[in-house]
Amino acid sequence: MSLPAPARAPAIARRLASALYDLLITAALAIFVTFPFLAVFRDATHGWQRHLLQAWLLAAIGAYYVWFWTRGGQTLPMKTWRIRLVRADGGGPVNVGRAVHRFVLAVLGTLAVGLGFAWALLDRDRQFLHDRLAGTALVAA
């Protein structure tokens, strides 16, 4: 389904600038949530503790994105760059299930050497692959 003309995606450079800003916040969040983990487990450099820390970080970062996407459709960087996440089928707010689905697909797209993001270069509406598959869209706010 193609988005209506006024709801087209912002320029890719604008979305990448927002993503870079989000990366800085995500890095700070990762540092912040690692401290209580290390206070409890002391060491997370090998074995099951390392995997548990990775799962803990993924859950914390996922919670950050899902929280903001479902409450206004914007993280702080998305507000700054005037980008909003909406449902692709009508532009309404995104629910928790769809936000989690989008986050998981975005992580997989990142692990696939960023191919999920490169998809926007080929997509008719300039949407990322995880947005296509999750039924969401990034639009100018």
Side-chain angles (χ1 to χ4, degrees):
M1 166 189 255
S2 185
L3 294 171
R8 296 242 179 236
I12 291 177
R14 192 162 133 197
R15 289 185 285 161
L16 290 176
S18 176
L20 180 61
Y21 186 0
D22 250 326
L23 181 62
L24 294 173
I25 292 174
T26 302
L29 175 66
I31 292 168
F32 182 75
V33 301
T34 298
F35 286 125
F37 182 92
L38 294 177
V40 172
F41 293 102
R42 301 263 181 221
D43 179 26
T45 57
H46 61 279
W48 65 271
Q49 292 145 324
R50 179 177 176 184
H51 298 300
L52 187 61
L53 175 59
Q54 291 168 342
W56 171 252
L57 287 171
L58 191 62
I61 292 166
Y64 162 78
Y65 283 106
V66 169
W67 173 266
F68 282 101
W69 289 340
T70 58
R71 283 160 182 77
Q74 296 174 298
T75 61
L76 180 60
M78 292 169 76
K79 286 180 184 180
T80 302
W81 289 95
R82 295 185 182 111
I83 299 170
R84 181 178 305 279
L85 181 69
V86 297
R87 286 192 338 259
D89 62 0
V94 176
N95 65 22
V96 172
R98 198 174 296 238
V100 169
H101 189 203
R102 182 182 193 267
F103 177 75
V104 170
L105 292 171
V107 168
L108 293 175
T110 302
L111 292 175
V113 197
L115 292 176
F117 293 92
W119 175 270
L121 299 172
L122 306 172
D123 189 83
R124 69 180 176 274
D125 295 322
R126 297 182 316 204
Q127 294 296 330
F128 297 127
L129 182 58
H130 50 269
D131 285 312
R132 276 282 172 222
L133 297 175
T136 58
L138 290 173
V139 297

